[in-house]
Amino acid sequence: MKFCSIFLFQVHVLPREIFGKSIFELAMFMMKWLPLWLVDKILLILTWFILGNIEKYGLKRPKIGPLELKNTQGKTPVLDIGALEKIRSRKINVVPGIKRFSCDTVELVNGEKLEIDSVVLATGYCSNVPFWLKESEFFSKNGFPKAPFPNSWKGKSGLYAVGFTRRGLSGASND
């Protein structure tokens, strides 16, 4: 029987919705009145009630909360839209990190070798704005606006930046 293996380090897995609302919509709503660290704690508690303990499936959570991690390192939480059920039913297996690849096998850090057909790298993305936009006042060399949130969206001469706040789709919507 073929199965899919997923190689993960530490990742926040959150439900797509809580109380019928997008988790990011809920987070943005709470951040109007609560500090980020408290919103992170509330989201993680609600996530635990909805998804349960996902560490028993090999999914390890970072020590930093999901919103703080997004703001400080640009790492977006994973929204569960069915993968967790496949992990629970063992249709997807979570395995430790990769040590090396060879033709049709992968060697894991624990020494185990798996036969593979393909590899999908979901590495996030890096901004390539400095490559094609020859402008240095609005964007820094790392491809993000120089001005901090919430003033990072508007440049000069009709130049706008959407989605660079590291606040997910809700942040892009606010931009």
Side-chain angles (χ1 to χ4, degrees):
M1 177 179 159
K2 287 253 183 197
F3 64 89
C4 175
S5 294
I6 186 169
F7 309 96
L8 292 174
F9 296 98
Q10 294 184 344
V11 63
H12 283 292
V13 178
L14 305 176
R16 182 170 48 180
E17 294 181 343
I18 295 180
F19 307 126
K21 296 277 187 192
S22 153
I23 192 160
F24 291 117
E25 184 180 345
L26 181 63
M28 293 302 121
F29 176 77
M30 288 191 293
M31 284 180 44
K32 291 178 182 177
W33 295 281
L34 302 173
L36 183 116
W37 68 267
L38 185 55
V39 174
D40 268 346
K41 294 283 186 202
I42 293 168
L43 290 178
L44 291 175
I45 290 168
L46 291 171
T47 296
W48 189 85
F49 280 119
I50 294 167
L51 301 180
N53 178 10
I54 64 170
E55 289 203 8
K56 65 183 176 183
Y57 301 105
L59 299 168
K60 305 228 182 295
R61 291 192 185 277
K63 292 186 185 338
I64 299 172
L67 298 178
E68 183 181 349
L69 191 64
K70 177 69 175 161
N71 285 343
T72 60
Q73 298 177 26
K75 295 182 178 179
T76 303
V78 173
L79 296 182
D80 177 46
I81 57 171
L84 197 53
E85 184 53 41
K86 290 184 186 272
I87 291 170
R88 286 184 179 124
S89 68
R90 300 291 181 202
K91 290 181 180 173
I92 297 176
N93 293 324
V94 178
V95 297
I98 298 169
K99 184 175 182 180
R100 72 175 56 93
F101 290 103
S102 61
C103 293
D104 58 352
T105 61
V106 62
E107 183 181 347
L108 306 178
V109 293
N110 65 1
E112 183 182 358
K113 292 184 180 181
L114 299 175
E115 289 185 22
I116 57 171
D117 295 322
S118 61
V119 176
V120 176
L121 298 174
T123 60
Y125 66 90
C126 293
S127 171
N128 67 358
V129 171
F131 177 75
W132 55 266
L133 179 66
K134 303 304 178 198
E135 183 276 343
S136 60
E137 289 181 37
F138 188 32
F139 283 92
S140 62
K141 290 182 181 183
N142 71 0
F144 287 89
K146 288 181 178 179
F149 178 83
N151 302 311
S152 59
W153 65 274
K154 188 173 182 183
K156 294 181 181 176
S157 304
L159 182 61
Y160 297 93
V162 175
F164 288 93
T165 59
R166 296 182 171 142
R167 296 177 187 273
L169 293 176
S170 293
S173 175
N174 288 337
D175 290 344

